[in-house]
Amino acid sequence: MTTTLTWYGHAALGLKTGGYKLVVDPFFSGNPAASISADAVEADFILVSHGHGDHVGDSIDIAKRTGAMIISNFEIAGWFDGKGVARTHGQQHGGGFKHPFGYLKLTLAFHGSALPDGSNGGNPAGFLLTTNDGKKIYMAQDTGLFGDMKLIGEEGLDLAVVPIGDNYTMGPDDALRAVKLLQPKVVIPIHYNTWDLIAQDANAWAERVGKETGTKAVVLKPGESYSL
Ligand code: NI
Ligand code: MN
């Protein structure tokens, strides 16, 4: 069973696994780095890591058009219920659930989570997905560095997705430290080059990862995919 991850630009990801289509943090409208439009995205499930506009993005439109279920923390799932989204599933940090596409656990993230209209978005999260054939994928989404990444790494990660943009999230130096704690087989950087404020040289970062860790860094262009 092949699982394919696509980086759509910023923190927006597509995942195809076991015949299911997932989209994570689907920010396309107003995203200068987006490689696809919200109208073109196919999804069975939408994962939303926290309440900020560049992560909630086009979730409501995509959910209404496709009938996809939105999975997020309990507070954000309830907010989507109130926006007329038919299918939502709320979880909370440390809690996992066996969805059709795999076992999904919400992890810690050090960040904010206010929703675009000022509603309480609970606490921000990352995602740890165990696919139906046992692959482990950690999507850190927006976070600073935290020591408990070591605990996430103990799960034995096939792939980690980490932010490197700095200012709002980890920058390159802390993201390198994150790789050392997570020890994934492969790491993919996200949340950079969307705007000048978070411009980074991902290839230079990947070179450092190659020199200082046992992890392979894969730098994608928006729209490119990696299969595992
Ligand atoms: Ni954010
Ligand atoms: Mn963000």
Side-chain angles (χ1 to χ4, degrees):
M1 191 180 100
T2 303
T3 295
T4 300
L5 181 138
T6 303
W7 185 44
Y8 290 125
H10 199 55
L13 303 167
L15 264 174
K16 283 187 185 160
T17 181
Y20 295 98
K21 298 187 187 94
L22 283 68
V23 63
V24 183
D25 291 348
F27 169 50
F28 304 112
S29 304
N31 173 0
S35 63
I36 190 170
S37 76
D39 297 346
V41 172
E42 296 174 47
D44 303 307
F45 296 90
I46 301 168
L47 277 49
V48 177
S49 66
H50 64 288
H52 291 163
D54 59 320
H55 296 259
V56 170
D58 300 292
S59 295
I60 294 170
D61 288 347
I62 296 169
K64 287 185 178 174
R65 176 174 56 79
T66 62
M69 170 184 279
I70 299 184
I71 302 169
S72 190
N73 72 29
F74 184 80
E75 291 85 354
I76 293 174
W79 184 79
F80 282 120
D81 290 339
K83 300 287 180 188
V85 172
R87 300 168 65 225
T88 68
H89 181 104
Q91 296 185 212
Q92 217 52 282
H93 305 75
F97 184 80
K98 177 76 183 71
H99 295 279
F101 56 83
Y103 182 79
L104 183 74
K105 192 154 77 172
L106 261 59
T107 69
L108 297 185
F110 276 159
H111 196 66
S113 189
L115 283 153
D117 63 3
S119 298
N120 173 20
N123 289 304
F127 298 108
L128 179 61
L129 170 64
T130 306
T131 64
N132 289 331
D133 63 349
K135 299 257 170 58
K136 297 251 187 190
I137 302 171
Y138 169 53
M139 295 168 278
Q141 302 311 98
D142 283 14
T143 187
L145 179 68
F146 56 94
D148 284 358
M149 284 183 177
K150 184 170 186 295
L151 297 178
I152 298 170
E154 283 171 7
E155 301 243 3
L157 301 176
D158 294 286
L159 173 64
V161 177
V162 302
I164 66 162
D166 221 346
N167 196 72
Y168 299 117
T169 67
M170 293 188 285
D173 292 347
D174 277 355
L176 182 61
R177 296 168 74 193
V179 173
K180 290 173 183 174
L181 293 171
L182 294 165
Q183 300 188 6
K185 287 183 188 147
V186 173
V187 68
I188 293 174
I190 61 164
H191 213 277
Y192 67 96
N193 286 1
T194 321
W195 305 284
D196 288 346
L197 189 60
I198 55 172
Q200 297 295 342
D201 183 343
N203 289 316
W205 181 78
E207 217 167 281
R208 291 173 70 193
V209 171
K211 272 189 197 140
E212 294 186 37
T213 77
T215 295
K216 180 185 173 195
V218 174
V219 176
L220 299 176
K221 291 190 180 73
E224 288 184 344
S225 300
Y226 176 80
S227 292
L228 71 167

